[in-house]
Amino acid sequence: MTVFAIILISVVYILISNKIFIGSTDSEFTDYLKNNHVLANDKIDGKLFDDSFYNSQVILLGEVHGYADNQKLDQELLTFLNQKAGVRYYIAEMDSTNSHKLNLFLHGNTKDQNLLKEVVLAVQKRIPQQSSKELLEKWNHMYDYNQTLQDSLKISVIGIDTDFNDNSRKISRDSAMIMNFKNSVKKLNIGHKKFYGLFGFYHVLQHGVKKNEKPFAERLKNSGFKTSSIVSYTLDSEMYLPKNPQFPTPDDQKVGWINADGPLMLVKGINDFKEFTQPNSITLFKLNANSSPYQHSNKLISVKSTMFGESFTPKENTNTLDYFQYMVLLRNSKALTPLQ
């Protein structure tokens, strides 16, 4: 057998196995999703959110870093929750030093662009794919929004990540996050308040997928904080992948290989959602309505990464809703833009 034939057989095998993993559309799920989705391109209207969602003390959005529309979605959700539920505390995947600087910006008399840029550039140390022009624009927008609010409703940021300048790991990041969150809540005497934040996908899972590790959201629930999680997936989208020594990166630092339907990332059950989304759209899906098939399924939480990133296998006797309750699907999202 020639080398070419071996390569061809290997490629065909991978394509077939990927297709089997994702699965074809299932009418039980599409019939459900038909009545439980809403377009969220420009604003969140909230009609899919139920009492359980609004009664949550902590609401989390989980993303795969690098997609521009997640910054837009984060901005829309924060604004919506501030207006609808009075949420004014944004918990962030950044350290307390930089959240303090961000608060100085948000509550300043003028837009201090140098201070904001300092924060956005600092994010490169921990989340290189998030440090971007869009991140800067989001917080500029939130500054303007804050100016329209009474002091009692103005948005403030609580950074709960580990020190950006300290890479030593005495405890896991998620352990540090819950400890820092609790300490901040106690220090500020805001245990009765509601919180919202954007984090990397893994941190918002309400059940562990790794042996002996618990995500931030699971630790929140175990600590008595009622939590709702929303996860974001993408189709036909580009990711910002900064140049790094680990992976080959195009000159423009944009890649289109990492979407929920492959080739480098595969999400079981993603095909059920395609017919309900439009090109260039953001669509919100409610997964936990009455008679939801996700109550007895592991779709969306079974994730296979074929080259880099993390694969997730749900724990035995768990279902999708044990991990998150809502999903957002981005179509044709652009990549984040490096900050010049």
Side-chain angles (χ1 to χ4, degrees):
M1 185 178 292
T2 66
V3 173
F4 175 77
I6 293 173
I7 293 174
L8 181 61
I9 291 172
S10 298
V11 170
V12 171
Y13 171 78
I14 291 171
L15 291 175
I16 292 174
S17 63
N18 287 355
K19 186 174 182 179
I20 292 172
F21 179 86
I22 291 176
S24 57
T25 57
D26 185 327
S27 60
E28 179 186 10
F29 290 83
T30 55
D31 287 349
Y32 167 83
L33 293 171
K34 178 170 57 179
N35 299 313
N36 286 283
H37 74 279
V38 65
L39 199 63
N41 281 357
D42 299 312
K43 67 176 183 178
I44 306 293
D45 69 11
K47 72 178 184 180
L48 291 184
F49 296 140
D50 55 17
D51 289 343
S52 178
F53 178 85
Y54 287 117
N55 289 334
S56 297
Q57 188 171 9
V58 183
I59 297 169
L60 300 174
L61 171 63
E63 68 161 357
V64 177
H65 299 308
Y67 297 95
D69 278 352
N70 279 323
Q71 292 300 317
K72 178 181 178 182
L73 175 63
D74 184 40
Q75 175 183 306
E76 291 174 358
L77 275 168
L78 178 55
T79 303
F80 170 80
L81 290 170
N82 177 263
Q83 295 172 347
K84 179 70 176 180
V87 175
R88 56 171 299 224
Y89 292 103
Y90 181 94
I91 48 177
E93 200 171 350
M94 66 172 59
D95 61 19
S96 58
T97 298
N98 284 288
S99 65
H100 174 68
K101 293 177 182 178
L102 186 51
N103 283 324
L104 290 176
F105 167 78
L106 287 172
H107 297 274
N109 293 325
T110 60
K111 277 186 178 180
D112 188 340
Q113 291 301 294
N114 289 331
L115 181 59
L116 178 58
K117 189 171 183 179
E118 183 180 333
V119 173
V120 173
L121 289 174
V123 171
Q124 287 181 348
K125 298 176 183 178
R126 183 58 47 80
I127 315 173
Q129 288 166 276
Q130 196 179 75
S131 179
S132 62
K133 177 183 176 183
E134 288 79 7
L135 180 62
L136 185 97
E137 290 173 345
K138 177 182 73 179
W139 288 116
N140 268 318
H141 174 88
M142 296 316 301
Y143 175 94
D144 292 337
Y145 177 70
N146 249 6
Q147 300 306 302
T148 70
L149 301 175
Q150 298 176 1
D151 288 347
S152 60
L153 280 176
K154 288 185 185 296
I155 290 164
S156 294
V157 179
I158 301 174
I160 63 169
D161 208 342
T162 54
D163 187 342
F164 281 179
N165 295 312
D166 183 3
N167 291 319
S168 63
R169 293 287 175 85
K170 297 178 182 178
I171 59 174
S172 71
R173 280 183 67 202
D174 290 88
S175 295
M177 284 179 180
I178 189 64
M179 181 178 67
N180 292 338
F181 176 72
K182 287 181 176 179
N183 288 341
S184 294
V185 168
K186 183 177 180 180
K187 180 180 178 180
L188 297 171
N189 192 27
I190 51 174
H192 58 295
K193 297 295 186 180
K194 292 178 179 288
F195 307 86
Y196 163 75
L198 169 67
F199 289 81
F201 183 93
Y202 172 76
H203 302 299
V204 311
L205 300 180
Q206 295 173 16
H207 202 292
V209 290
K210 302 177 184 177
K211 187 177 181 180
N212 300 324
E213 292 188 28
K214 295 179 181 179
F216 172 57
E218 182 177 5
R219 295 171 189 270
L220 280 170
K221 290 186 69 175
N222 290 346
S223 299
F225 294 95
K226 181 172 172 53
T227 304
S228 287
S229 295
I230 307 167
V231 298
S232 171
Y233 283 124
T234 64
L235 292 174
D236 309 312
S237 298
E238 286 188 321
M239 171 195 279
Y240 168 45
L241 186 63
K243 292 187 180 300
N244 64 82
Q246 295 175 300
F247 309 107
T249 303
D251 290 339
D252 64 2
Q253 303 181 93
K254 299 176 183 178
V255 295
W257 328 314
I258 309 172
N259 286 284
D261 59 351
L264 300 188
M265 175 182 174
L266 306 166
V267 178
K268 184 180 290 293
I270 198 64
N271 283 333
D272 294 327
F273 295 82
K274 289 184 176 181
E275 67 178 277
F276 305 111
T277 63
Q278 306 167 8
N280 306 297
S281 67
I282 300 174
T283 308
L284 173 67
F285 294 86
K286 178 180 174 63
L287 304 177
N288 63 342
N290 292 335
S291 302
S292 168
Y294 293 96
Q295 296 177 81
H296 52 76
S297 169
N298 62 10
K299 287 188 175 186
L300 298 182
I301 190 57
S302 295
V303 180
K304 179 180 177 182
S305 293
T306 58
M307 183 174 290
F308 63 92
E310 295 182 290
S311 295
F312 295 132
T313 301
K315 295 284 183 70
E316 188 176 355
N317 299 320
T318 63
N319 61 67
T320 305
L321 304 183
D322 291 324
Y323 297 85
F324 46 82
Q325 294 74 46
Y326 294 83
M327 191 270 269
V328 174
L329 190 56
L330 312 181
R331 288 285 298 272
N332 303 104
S333 173
K334 294 181 180 179
L336 289 170
T337 309
L339 191 63
Q340 302 299 324

